Amino acid sequence: MEFDLIAKHFTRATPGAVLGVGDDCALLAPTPDMQLAVSSDMLLEGHHFSPQDSPAGIGHKSLAVNLSDLAAMGATPRWATLSIALPTANDAWLTAFARGFFRMADLHGIELVGGDTTRGALTISITVMGEVPPGQALRRDGAQAGDDVWVSGVIGSAALALAYRQGRLFMEQVDAAKVLPALYLPTPRVTLGIALRGIASSAIDISDGLLADLGHILQRSHVGATLEFAALPTLPVVQTYLEHAVARDCVLAGGDDYELCFTAPVAKRDAVRAAAEVAGVAVTRIGQIHAAPGLTVRDADGQPLPFERTGYDHFAA
Ligand code: ADP
Ligand code: MG
């Protein structure tokens, strides 16, 4: 049963591996002289998705959030393992989940080489492995005073969609339809991360909220930053809700964007724009790194904007 399930849904050709699914271990031959970048993310029903969500969407998102970590490191995706607990072996659900998962995998050239399958409350734990040339990984500890702070794409959409879904913000249905895809079908910025090797001084992906995640860079780099609220890139529809405190909070501290926040020297502005061009994603300069610790957000008049929280905390009361 379990083996049929694995054979049917999770076994694919893996030309990039010596041995894929089916033995006690996968066998991988990393490219000589490359470093392996490894990351795991766990998704739980009720926390990261709800039972009525589309299984294909869950497959997409669970791999996308893991690929986002490789993107934030500037690593080229290679292999993944998938550990999944399922309450029942629902064939239709698994077929759709695998479709979403492998579509995302094929887009980014990552191969599923193993995992574990067990009965239990729906839980998905994925480990991704990627490769990066020595010394070129985009770490959190490289931001320098004077660097620009950049962000890819637009932010706040996924958090706004969640606020709408949870009834914390009223949105017109046509407006909600414009932000909901960001919540269910995030795009990992893999190509951008790779293009920023040797250009960005630090990077992180925005999973818990812009301020919280930039805060990790600041802490690890022993620097501070000042951001311009008016510079933060959002969808036009998000702009129309910014009079609401909930919407401002979504932009500053909302999670689930999976955009990259990164720093780069001022002298690399053209190189950053060229990398963005290669990756086909917009990048926006949102502020500056400085030696003095602390994170300030300024409004259009240059006044500090108060904010209540910096991001999502899994252990908050
Ligand atoms: P073992 O008992 O040796 O751990 P398993 O029965 O758990 O073996 O798994 C058999 C094979 O199927 C292994 O190669 C394992 O990596 C793979 N596998 C199990 N579950 C999954 C899954 N959800 N996705 C991909 N591969 C899986
Ligand atoms: Mg096992």
Side-chain angles (χ1 to χ4, degrees):
M1 176 74 207
E2 172 193 338
F3 300 101
D4 294 346
L5 184 163
I6 296 164
K8 176 168 180 195
H9 296 290
F10 298 122
T11 307
R12 295 280 192 285
T14 53
V18 179
L19 192 62
V21 170
D23 212 312
D24 297 309
C25 291
L27 293 174
L28 310 175
T31 308
D33 299 324
M34 293 288 263
Q35 291 180 341
L36 267 188
V38 181
S39 177
S40 297
D41 258 312
M42 193 152 75
L43 288 90
L44 278 78
E45 184 176 283
H47 289 263
H48 302 94
F49 53 85
S50 54
Q52 63 267 31
D53 289 352
S54 112
I58 295 171
H60 170 114
K61 185 166 178 175
S62 58
L63 185 56
V65 305
N66 277 275
L67 286 166
S68 180
D69 284 315
L70 291 179
M73 215 66 194
T76 305
R78 294 295 311 271
W79 306 289
T81 61
L82 166 67
S83 295
I84 186 163
L86 299 159
T88 57
N90 179 331
D91 199 65
W93 191 96
L94 280 162
T95 300
F97 173 88
R99 183 170 9 97
F101 181 96
F102 283 111
R103 187 176 294 162
M104 176 72 0
D106 292 345
L107 267 177
H108 296 286
I110 196 162
E111 295 181 350
L112 183 65
V113 294
D116 203 18
T117 305
T118 179
R119 186 186 293 267
L122 185 57
T123 306
I124 299 158
S125 175
I126 294 175
T127 296
V128 286
M129 287 159 269
E131 294 185 325
V132 62
Q136 290 194 37
L138 308 178
R139 299 164 50 137
R140 296 180 180 182
D141 59 4
Q144 303 275 338
D147 284 355
D148 293 316
V149 181
W150 297 80
V151 71
S152 68
V154 290
I155 57 174
S157 313
L160 211 64
L162 188 64
Y164 166 76
R165 274 273 319 266
Q166 294 176 336
R168 289 185 287 116
L169 178 76
F170 171 79
M171 292 182 84
E172 299 293 341
Q173 215 163 353
V174 288
D175 292 344
K178 292 176 184 155
V179 292
L180 282 162
L183 180 61
Y184 294 112
L185 299 170
T187 304
R189 299 302 184 188
V190 173
T191 314
L192 179 64
I194 294 168
L196 286 172
R197 288 177 189 164
I199 298 169
S201 53
S202 73
I204 192 166
D205 65 316
I206 305 176
S207 54
D208 292 335
L210 172 67
L211 297 185
D213 288 317
L214 175 59
H216 295 310
I217 287 183
L218 303 182
Q219 196 167 23
R220 297 289 291 274
S221 300
H222 307 290
V223 291
T226 299
L227 304 183
E228 309 299 334
F229 185 77
L232 300 179
T234 70
L235 289 178
V237 62
V238 174
Q239 292 288 330
T240 66
Y241 285 86
L242 284 184
E243 73 211 58
H244 302 287
V246 174
R248 289 196 298 275
D249 179 78
C250 286
V251 173
L252 285 172
D256 264 3
D257 287 313
Y258 302 102
E259 293 295 346
L260 297 185
C261 176
F262 58 97
T263 62
V266 171
K268 296 267 170 87
R269 281 180 188 172
D270 286 343
V272 169
R273 291 195 188 98
E277 187 97 343
V278 165
V281 56
V283 291
T284 308
R285 228 163 6 95
I286 61 169
Q288 218 82 43
I289 298 291
H290 41 66
L295 178 50
T296 306
V297 182
R298 291 196 302 209
D299 65 17
D301 301 321
Q303 297 303 308
L305 198 78
F307 47 84
E308 274 165 26
R309 55 180 207 120
T310 59
Y312 184 73
D313 181 343
H314 300 264
F315 290 100

